Amino acid sequence: MRLHRLTLRNFRGVQDRTVDLPAIGTTVIVGDNEVGKSSLVEAFALVFDFPDDSKSTRIRDVQPVGQDVAPEVTVELTLGGRELTYTKRWLKNRSTELSIVDADGRRQTWTGREAHNEAERLFAENVDPVLWQTLMVGQGQSLVLPTPADAEPLITAVTAESGTPVDGASMPLVIAVEHEYLRYWTRGGRPTGEFAKSAQYVAAAELAAEQALKAMDEVVADIRRAERLALDLADLSGRLEAHLESVEDLRERKKATDEILLRRDSIRSRAETARARLENHTRTRLERERLLAEVDQFTKADTELAERRKDAETVARKAAEIVHAAEAALAEVVELKDERRAEVQDVERLVTSLMDRAELDRLLGQQAELVDVRARIAAAGAVLDAISVDDAVVIALEDARAKLVEARAALAAGVPEVLVRRTGAEAVSLSGTGLDAGSGKKVPASLSEDGEVELLVSGELVIGVPGQVEVKVRAGGEAATLRAVVDEAVRREKDLLKKARVKDLPAARELLRKSDQASAELQEARRTERSLTAGGDPAERIAVLAARLGVVDGEEPAEEPSAKQAAVESVPGQMSLFEQFEPDENAFDFEDLEIPEPVEIGELPVAQRRLDSARAGLAEAERLLRDAEFAAAQARKAADEDRSEAQQARARSELAAERLAAAVEALEAARAVLDDEGVEAAEIEATTEVEAVLEELTAVQEQVDAAGADEVAGELADALAVATRLQGERDVLRDSLRTTEGRLEQSGRDGLATRRDTAELDLAAIRAEHEALKRRADAARRVHETLGRHRAEAQTKYSEPLQTRIESLGRSVYGPSFRVWLDDDLAVAERELDGARLRVEALSTGAQEQLAIITRLAISHLVSTGAGSVPVIFDDALGWSDKARLRDMGALLGRAGDHGQVIILTCMPDRYEYVPRATFIKLDS
């Protein structure tokens, strides 16, 4: 089969499109998503599968949504040596047209259902469905490996190529046996079709016979049940009649005892009324007794609280007198304390004046010492400011000196050392480059008589005797490098000395030592300064004390003396740092202060003793004041408590009087209703009435007990309940008997015996027919199994051509180590590459997809020359391959087109840019 042209109109999203396909070669149809690529394959399948009057949902699904149009497909193809033009329109204006041109040029035309049937017949005759489904790879199916064992064209091709007959098991025979086997069995080996229905008929007949026999058994059981029910009903009816007679006897007894029960109930009611009256009189008596007791209690409480109130008021008056006396004593102690405090204040002012004068003398000495310390700090700071050498600078200089020594040692070891000695009278001149006389000596331009010099030559040395000889000494190539290292070390040392402002390393070390001495002296002076100024600046305190003491100074103090900077080179030792700093002549002289002598008391100790005495007197006065305040507070507290107690006693006394008056009023009101003797008499009368009624009730209860009146009502209720239960059981038995008799009557009319005999005869006939079918089914299964076994053996013989073709195509992609193994269905089961053999399921997704494409191309190659060949169609394949594999697979797809028709649908044309001689068709949206 070869496809030549496909035309789609109103098909899904395609309005009108025609695609022409080359009969041989590889064709790549390119289009964006949803442009209608997959619709081409779907349309080809629908045109052969569904007539134009089909109402299938697959047909309705291809109609454009929201448009009342008719999907239409036209396909032009070569099929079985004939050229077909097949057109079909569905849903609206339905039509089918088929035009066939035979090999001799004769044309035939069909329309309608005849056209559909003829096209369906030709497709079934010339296209193997297994091969067609194998080589048409739909979207998302590129990973499925084909299993083409049932494809007749492929079997024919491999049989012809291998030269191995199939032992008479031709495909028509296989198909016939398969068809006969499937009449009786499913592919899984379960009964189906007529054979399965026969088994169902047997089961149904067995069920019917069993049901008929069961119905007869039920009739026998109903006869026995009816006899038993009749006996039970008669027995129960007799017992019910006897029980109803006992119920009537109980009813008569109950009527006889009802009068006694009514008289007992009446007496009980009178007894309850008498008891209630007695309880009422008893409560009245108890309430009268309570009122009498309450009046007596409140009278005693009123008398007692009146006495307490009188005593509390007396105590409160005495406490007020004590408070008055305590407050007078407190006022006297306060006056004494004020006198003692005034005395202490006078003496404190005197002592403060004497202490200020002593403090002023001490501060003047401290100020002089502070001036000296600050001068030392200024001098040390000046020295440190003048020195720019520190530990880092000295370390850097020492490191530069070490590297210079190392470089010169390397230079001395790596360059020629030349000794030039003048031995005659002729002058000897020296010149050149890269000369070093050692120890910083300068290289002489000539040698004096009997003179000599040793030189390190890192460049060129020229020794000349004018008019006689000239000698040149050149160092090797490494000498220049060594000289450069020495020059760099010298330059770095000079830069560091210049930055530190010293002439050499010893001078830097001496300056660092002097810096350390100045830092130590500065720290010591600052510690002294902090200790002298820990309590504040003495000058400020001196000024305050001078003003307080009235000391007069003729001049204002000058600023603190400034230090002169000493030259760094003239710092010989630690203490001599301050030799060049002299005190300022204009500085404030605290010795000029005139301190006046105390006017009244001469010395501080006498004033201090007087102050201690005054403070002791003040302390004693304060102690007396505290005692007086405590005594006054205690007196006030006691007076407040006594006053509060008196007020509470007054309130309790007044409350007791009110309660007494209320109790007396309540007692008088109760006596106005009934006096005390009347209350007792009423209670005695009620008690007598209750006793009389109880005696009468006891006599009536004896009559009730003798007659058993209380038990008669219960016995009657129980008897009625039993009668009701027996009547219900009788009704149930009667209904069951009627139902059973009805079933027996119906069974007689249904002819159950005849039904049972008929069911047994039907079962025997159906079983015989089923046994015949079973023998044919077993025979078909044995033939199918035998043919399948022989066919499997033959497949192992003729699978070699397909395996060889797959390996040949695969080696063009994977290399010479590529091998495959096929299973019984001619599907690839295992792959070997570079010595590694794996199951197909263990391969990567890309490798599985590539192997599936290679297998289909191999099948197409084998059947391409036969009458049953079909196109190879790939919809959206090679989505899992890298660029290298795309190149190899593209070349393979191009070669496959040389033997048949290969159609590729894709939205990614870059995947197929390596397909040689491919025809690209672009579908526009």
Side-chain angles (χ1 to χ4, degrees):
M1 182 179 69
R2 291 289 184 268
L3 300 179
H4 303 300
R5 174 177 294 177
L6 271 172
T7 300
L8 278 65
R9 296 184 180 89
N10 302 319
F11 195 96
R12 292 194 182 274
V14 178
Q15 184 176 3
D16 191 350
R17 172 175 292 138
T18 299
V19 178
D20 293 315
L21 301 169
I24 193 167
T26 302
T27 303
V28 182
I29 301 177
V30 181
D32 297 335
N33 290 327
E34 300 183 359
V35 78
K37 302 185 300 297
S38 301
S39 297
L40 297 174
V41 180
E42 184 182 14
F44 185 81
L46 294 179
V47 77
F48 282 97
D49 291 345
F50 294 93
D52 55 23
D53 58 352
S54 174
K55 299 299 191 294
S56 172
T57 56
R58 293 185 60 186
I59 298 299
R60 295 187 179 277
D61 288 343
V62 300
Q63 184 183 33
V65 178
Q67 300 183 32
D68 188 18
V69 294
E72 181 179 334
V73 177
T74 299
V75 55
E76 297 181 15
L77 69 158
T78 299
L79 188 62
R82 303 178 180 89
E83 295 182 1
L84 280 69
T85 301
Y86 191 24
T87 301
K88 187 172 289 186
R89 185 188 305 117
W90 294 275
L91 301 180
K92 290 190 64 178
N93 300 323
R94 300 188 304 272
S95 67
T96 302
E97 297 178 1
L98 174 64
S99 175
I100 301 178
V101 179
D102 294 335
D104 57 2
R106 186 168 56 91
R107 179 185 296 274
Q108 292 178 284
T109 303
W110 288 267
T111 59
R113 176 60 67 139
E114 292 181 352
H116 172 79
N117 294 337
E118 182 65 16
E120 188 177 37
R121 183 186 66 79
L122 289 174
F123 191 82
E125 289 180 356
N126 294 277
V127 177
D128 182 77
V130 177
L131 183 64
W132 172 244
Q133 293 297 327
T134 299
L135 298 185
M136 184 177 67
V137 183
Q139 194 171 31
Q141 299 177 344
S142 62
L143 298 178
V144 180
L145 270 75
T147 55
D150 294 330
E152 183 177 0
L154 176 62
I155 303 302
T156 303
V158 296
T159 302
E161 185 165 329
S162 63
T164 303
V166 196
D167 297 333
S170 63
M171 287 308 297
L173 177 59
V174 171
I175 294 173
V177 171
E178 181 77 12
H179 178 72
E180 183 65 17
Y181 173 79
L182 294 177
R183 282 184 58 191
Y184 305 105
W185 306 97
T186 65
R187 295 189 183 277
R190 295 187 301 274
T192 186
E194 185 180 359
F195 182 43
K197 290 181 181 179
S198 177
Q200 294 174 0
Y201 294 156
V202 171
E206 290 176 346
L207 180 61
E210 182 182 356
Q211 288 176 348
L213 182 60
K214 184 179 179 181
M216 287 298 299
D217 293 339
E218 289 178 354
V219 169
V220 174
D222 283 342
I223 293 173
R224 294 175 180 174
R225 184 183 299 108
E227 293 175 353
R228 186 176 64 253
L229 288 174
L231 293 175
D232 292 342
L233 180 60
D235 179 67
L236 184 61
S237 298
R239 287 191 288 120
L240 178 60
E241 290 177 1
H243 184 72
L244 290 177
E245 292 178 359
S246 65
V247 169
E248 290 299 327
D249 293 340
L250 288 173
R251 284 177 176 168
E252 292 297 329
R253 285 181 58 196
K254 187 175 182 303
K255 289 180 181 178
T257 58
D258 285 344
E259 183 180 354
I260 300 174
L261 292 176
L262 288 174
R263 188 150 53 88
R264 185 188 63 180
D265 292 340
S266 176
I267 295 172
R268 281 180 177 176
S269 176
R270 287 166 49 205
E272 291 298 328
T273 303
R275 285 196 186 96
R277 190 179 300 111
L278 174 60
E279 290 176 357
N280 186 32
H281 289 302
T282 300
R283 283 195 297 273
T284 302
R285 177 181 61 79
L286 294 176
E287 177 64 18
R288 182 63 54 86
E289 292 176 353
R290 184 190 68 78
L291 288 174
L292 291 171
E294 192 176 60
V295 169
D296 184 60
Q297 176 187 355
F298 287 159
T299 301
K300 293 179 180 178
D302 180 64
T303 303
E304 182 179 354
L305 290 175
E307 292 295 330
R308 292 182 181 179
R309 171 182 177 183
K310 182 177 179 181
D311 295 342
E313 290 176 350
T314 302
V315 171
R317 285 194 298 271
K318 292 181 178 180
E321 295 174 357
I322 295 172
V323 168
H324 181 71
E327 288 178 350
L330 177 62
E332 294 178 0
V333 176
V334 169
E335 184 178 355
L336 176 62
K337 177 187 173 184
D338 293 340
E339 293 176 357
R340 297 292 174 82
R341 180 182 289 111
E343 181 181 358
V344 169
Q345 290 174 352
D346 293 340
V347 179
E348 282 179 346
R349 283 193 292 272
L350 177 61
V351 171
T352 300
S353 176
L354 294 174
M355 293 177 67
D356 288 345
R357 190 180 70 175
E359 178 67 11
L360 181 59
D361 292 342
R362 185 187 65 80
L363 290 175
L364 288 173
Q366 183 177 338
Q367 180 66 19
E369 184 179 358
L370 183 60
V371 170
D372 180 61
V373 168
R374 286 176 174 169
R376 290 166 58 196
I377 291 173
V383 171
L384 292 176
D385 292 340
I387 296 175
S388 60
V389 177
D390 55 12
D391 290 337
V393 172
V394 172
I395 291 172
L397 286 172
E398 290 176 346
D399 181 62
R401 169 55 61 177
K403 289 182 179 179
L404 177 59
V405 171
E406 291 175 2
R408 282 177 174 170
L411 180 66
V415 301
E417 182 177 4
V418 179
L419 173 63
V420 182
R421 181 183 299 117
R422 179 178 174 182
T423 58
E426 298 297 332
V428 177
S429 64
L430 301 174
S431 63
T433 60
L435 304 179
D436 190 353
S439 301
K441 296 180 181 178
K442 185 177 181 182
V443 179
S446 61
L447 294 178
S448 60
E449 187 175 357
D450 296 332
E452 66 178 25
V453 64
E454 291 183 0
L455 298 176
L456 295 174
V457 181
S458 59
E460 182 181 67
L461 170 64
V462 180
I463 306 172
V465 178
Q468 297 183 13
V469 67
E470 183 178 86
V471 179
K472 291 186 178 180
V473 179
R474 292 189 180 92
E478 187 180 1
T481 302
L482 296 174
R483 168 55 64 183
V485 174
V486 172
D487 293 343
E488 174 62 22
V490 172
R491 183 194 61 76
R492 184 169 181 272
E493 185 182 38
K494 288 181 178 179
D495 290 344
L496 290 173
L497 292 172
K498 183 178 179 181
K499 184 177 179 181
R501 292 183 293 176
V502 294
K503 61 183 181 178
D504 53 18
L505 179 59
R509 288 173 176 163
E510 178 62 20
L511 283 179
L512 181 61
R513 184 185 63 79
K514 293 178 179 180
S515 176
D516 292 341
Q517 291 177 352
S519 297
E521 180 62 26
L522 178 61
Q523 293 176 1
E524 178 63 27
R526 283 179 175 168
R527 283 196 296 270
T528 304
E529 181 187 28
R530 285 195 296 271
S531 66
L532 292 174
T533 59
D537 192 350
E540 297 178 358
R541 184 63 177 164
I542 289 172
V544 172
L545 291 176
R548 187 184 299 168
L549 296 173
V551 179
V552 180
D553 181 23
E555 298 180 356
E556 292 292 332
E559 295 182 355
E560 293 186 2
S562 60
K564 299 179 182 178
Q565 182 173 338
V568 176
E569 292 79 2
S570 61
V571 182
Q574 181 175 3
M575 298 306 296
S576 62
L577 288 170
F578 308 102
E579 292 177 352
Q580 299 185 20
F581 293 88
E582 299 294 341
D584 192 353
E585 295 179 355
N586 298 323
F588 179 75
D589 188 4
F590 290 96
E591 294 181 356
D592 294 338
L593 291 174
E594 296 180 1
I595 308 301
E597 294 293 335
V599 178
E600 297 181 358
I601 297 179
E603 298 296 337
L604 179 61
V606 177
Q608 189 66 49
R609 286 193 297 272
R610 181 178 172 185
L611 177 60
D612 293 340
S613 176
R615 285 177 175 171
L618 178 60
E620 178 62 21
E622 290 176 346
R623 185 187 64 78
L624 294 175
L625 178 60
R626 287 193 299 272
D627 293 343
E629 289 176 344
F630 178 77
Q634 290 295 106
R636 294 191 191 97
K637 181 179 179 181
D640 292 339
E641 292 176 353
D642 294 339
R643 185 166 51 254
S644 176
E645 180 64 25
Q647 292 174 352
Q648 293 177 3
R650 184 183 303 110
R652 287 194 294 270
S653 177
E654 293 174 354
L655 179 61
E658 292 176 359
R659 289 180 177 178
L660 175 60
V664 171
E665 183 178 356
L667 179 60
E668 293 298 330
R671 284 174 173 171
V673 175
L674 185 64
D675 57 11
D676 298 341
E677 291 78 5
V679 170
E680 292 179 0
E683 184 180 13
I684 292 172
E685 181 181 355
T687 301
T688 302
E689 181 182 1
V690 169
E691 292 174 352
V693 173
L694 289 178
E695 289 178 359
E696 186 178 358
L697 179 61
T698 301
V700 173
Q701 185 62 41
E702 290 176 354
Q703 296 177 5
V704 171
D705 295 340
D710 290 334
E711 291 78 7
V712 171
E715 291 175 359
L716 178 60
D718 294 340
L720 290 174
V722 171
T724 302
R725 178 177 59 79
L726 291 175
Q727 288 174 351
E729 292 178 0
R730 183 192 61 184
D731 295 340
V732 171
L733 287 175
R734 186 179 297 162
D735 293 340
S736 297
L737 180 59
R738 290 174 181 172
T739 303
T740 304
E741 291 174 347
R743 282 203 305 270
L744 290 173
E745 184 179 356
Q746 183 64 35
S747 298
R749 289 196 298 267
D750 291 344
L752 292 180
T754 304
R755 285 175 55 195
R756 180 192 60 189
D757 296 340
T758 303
E760 290 177 350
L761 292 174
D762 292 343
L763 176 61
I766 292 173
R767 278 179 175 170
E769 184 179 354
H770 177 68
E771 289 298 326
L773 278 175
K774 186 175 184 301
R775 287 192 295 271
R776 291 197 297 272
D778 291 341
R781 180 167 59 183
R782 286 193 297 270
V783 173
H784 181 267
E785 291 174 351
T786 303
L787 184 60
R789 184 171 62 256
H790 286 286
R791 185 181 178 213
E793 294 173 356
Q795 280 181 343
T796 59
K797 299 177 182 178
Y798 61 71
S799 62
E800 182 178 356
L802 178 59
Q803 179 177 345
T804 302
R805 194 62 52 88
I806 293 174
E807 290 178 348
S808 176
L809 296 178
R811 284 167 184 163
S812 65
V813 177
Y814 295 101
S817 64
F818 176 81
R819 292 189 62 191
V820 295
W821 284 264
L822 307 183
D823 59 15
D824 294 340
D825 293 327
L826 299 183
V828 178
E830 298 179 359
R831 187 207 71 177
E832 181 178 324
L833 188 63
D834 297 331
R837 185 170 175 176
L838 297 172
R839 295 285 301 174
V840 170
E841 297 82 4
L843 299 177
S844 67
T845 304
Q848 290 186 35
E849 182 184 46
Q850 295 153 17
L851 189 57
I853 293 174
I854 292 171
T855 303
R856 289 184 171 90
L857 294 179
I859 295 170
S860 175
H861 196 182
L862 283 170
V863 302
S864 60
T865 57
S869 65
V870 295
V872 183
I873 301 175
F874 296 109
D875 189 358
D876 194 19
L878 290 181
W880 306 91
S881 301
D882 55 37
K883 192 167 186 179
R885 287 283 185 265
L886 288 175
R887 186 186 302 275
D888 297 333
M889 292 298 294
L892 182 61
L893 288 170
R895 290 196 300 273
D898 297 339
H899 304 283
Q901 190 177 30
V902 180
I903 301 173
I904 300 172
L905 308 172
T906 183
C907 61
M908 303 292 290
D910 295 345
R911 299 178 186 169
Y912 305 95
E913 62 181 356
Y914 302 110
V915 179
R917 300 179 303 281
T919 300
F920 281 81
I921 299 176
K922 181 70 168 65
L923 300 183
D924 296 327
S925 59

